[in-house]
């Protein structure tokens, strides 16, 4: 007989996917998240399949990055090689560190990836494209399980398939805009992770899946967001919420969460998110304008 006990929140590791089209900022966003979670650039390890583009982000004063651990992953992009790199990275950063796999898409549709493996299996006698999936799927499952079972935090990036849509620009003209669709990976792979961020070409991220506190959040990913996630995962406690709208109080990129809380309590007597603070500021200016007009 199976015994059940009362559930409690427990300390856990981050399992994050970052998806988006080319140029959305997946790599830099992942580095910011990793640094915020680890608190030390030396505990962030980047596995780079993007022809060593990850080197461009190292120790940049303009981007406020430091010197992280780094290893380029070249073809073949087989599940076995990914697993080898991930396990080595986990040893290098330790339990409090962060592994970034940039990108996880290569393990699916590039040389030596799962689709390649499926094609090779299908060529065997008695096999075809349909029956080959049973065996190829085991390679994929083993890779995903290896990623999710390392004792440190894990972030993976995935490219999204591209499409174009017509949108009105600021001049009222219809122009083609590049948009991202489904990630380049096995269907629903993004849902294996606790958080999946979708980033657009303007670098604005929004969770398509979240098991933490990012309900309704959208914005540019910063190290402060990583720090907040680390605090949530470590303590198992809910983050501060706005007294008026009930949403999680997030950094706005210029102020930390604590600075926002301290400022709102000082000025309004309660902890408020920046959105609600701005509403109050706008209302006060409107009232002032009406008083002057009278």
């Amino acid at each position: 007989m199976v015994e059940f006990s009362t559930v409690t929140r427990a300390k856990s590791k981050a399992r994050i996917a970052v998806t988006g089209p080319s140029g959305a900022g997946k790599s830099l966003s992942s580095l910011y998240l990793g640094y915020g979670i680890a608190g030390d650039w030396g505990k962030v390890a980047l596995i780079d399949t993007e022809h060593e583009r990850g080197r461009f982000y190292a120790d940049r004063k303009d981007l406020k990055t430091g010197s992280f651990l780094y290893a380029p992953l070249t073809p073949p992009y087989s599940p076995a090689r990914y697993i080898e790199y991930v396990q080595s990275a986990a040893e290098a950063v330790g339990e409090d560190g962060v592994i970034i796999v940039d990108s996880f898409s290569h393990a699916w549709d590039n040389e030596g990836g799962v689709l390649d493996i499926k094609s090779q299996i299908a060529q065997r006698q008695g096999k075809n494209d349909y029956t080959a999936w049973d065996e190829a799927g085991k390679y994929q499952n083993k890779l995903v399980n290896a990623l999710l079972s390392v004792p440190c935090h894990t972030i993976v990036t995935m490219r999204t398939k591209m499409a174009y849509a017509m949108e009105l620009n600021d001049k009222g003209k219809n122009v083609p805009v590049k948009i991202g669709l489904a990630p380049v990976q096995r269907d629903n792979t993004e849902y294996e992770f606790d958080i999946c961020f979708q980033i657009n070409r303007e670098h604005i991220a929004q969770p398509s899946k979240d098991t933490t506190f990012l309900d309704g959040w959208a914005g540019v990913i910063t190290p402060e967001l990583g720090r907040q996630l680390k605090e949530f995962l470590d303590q198992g406690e809910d983050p501060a919420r706005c007294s008026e709208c009930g949403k999680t109080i997030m950094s706005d990129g210029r102020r930390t969460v604590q600075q926002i809380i301290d400022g709102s309590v000082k000025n309004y007597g309660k902890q408020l998110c920046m959105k609600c603070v701005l509403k109050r500021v706008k209302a006060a200016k409107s009232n002032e304008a009406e008083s002057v007009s009278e």
Side-chain angles (χ1 to χ4, degrees), residues 7-175:
V7 67
T8 57
R9 286 260 298 278
K11 183 175 180 178
S12 59
K13 300 297 181 184
R15 302 286 185 249
I16 302 172
V18 179
T19 71
S22 175
K26 299 184 294 296
S27 301
L28 185 58
S29 295
S30 297
L31 284 167
Y32 283 155
L33 276 176
Y35 173 60
I37 292 170
D40 181 351
W41 284 109
K43 290 185 177 181
V44 177
L46 178 69
I47 300 170
D48 184 5
T49 69
E50 301 286 349
H51 306 287
E52 303 197 21
R53 294 191 190 104
R55 294 183 184 275
F56 294 131
Y57 299 109
D59 207 16
R60 291 270 299 272
K61 290 183 180 180
D62 58 330
L63 299 177
K64 297 182 180 179
T65 59
S67 296
F68 46 86
L69 301 180
Y70 177 85
L73 175 56
T74 55
Y77 300 109
S78 65
R81 295 196 72 215
Y82 266 84
I83 292 171
E84 177 189 3
Y85 273 65
V86 166
Q87 291 177 343
S88 296
E91 292 180 10
V93 300
E95 291 189 5
D96 294 327
V98 181
I99 299 169
I100 300 173
V101 180
D102 185 26
S103 103
F104 193 41
S105 293
H106 287 66
W108 179 248
D109 72 343
N110 216 300
E111 180 184 343
V114 174
L115 291 183
D116 252 6
I117 292 172
K118 190 270 297 184
S119 296
Q120 293 168 13
I121 295 171
Q123 293 173 17
R124 298 177 191 167
Q125 186 175 1
K127 293 283 187 179
N128 56 45
D129 281 342
Y130 179 76
T131 58
W133 273 119
D134 182 54
E135 189 173 340
K138 293 178 181 178
Y139 286 91
Q140 172 75 3
N141 293 340
K142 185 176 181 180
L143 173 56
V144 172
N145 289 336
L147 272 173
L148 300 179
S149 62
V150 290
C152 57
H153 305 280
T154 308
I155 302 171
V156 306
T157 70
M158 291 185 281
R159 291 180 284 112
T160 52
K161 299 171 184 177
M162 299 308 304
Y164 286 86
M166 300 300 292
E167 291 185 5
L168 287 174
N169 63 14
D170 54 359
K171 297 180 180 179
K173 293 184 178 181
N174 277 312
V175 294

Side-chain angles (χ1 to χ4, degrees), residues 224-239:
E224 172 65 15
L225 178 60
R227 188 197 64 77
Q228 287 180 255
L229 285 169
K230 173 69 159 51
E231 190 174 83
F232 175 86
L233 294 167
D234 275 358
Q235 299 177 2
E237 296 178 0
D238 289 330

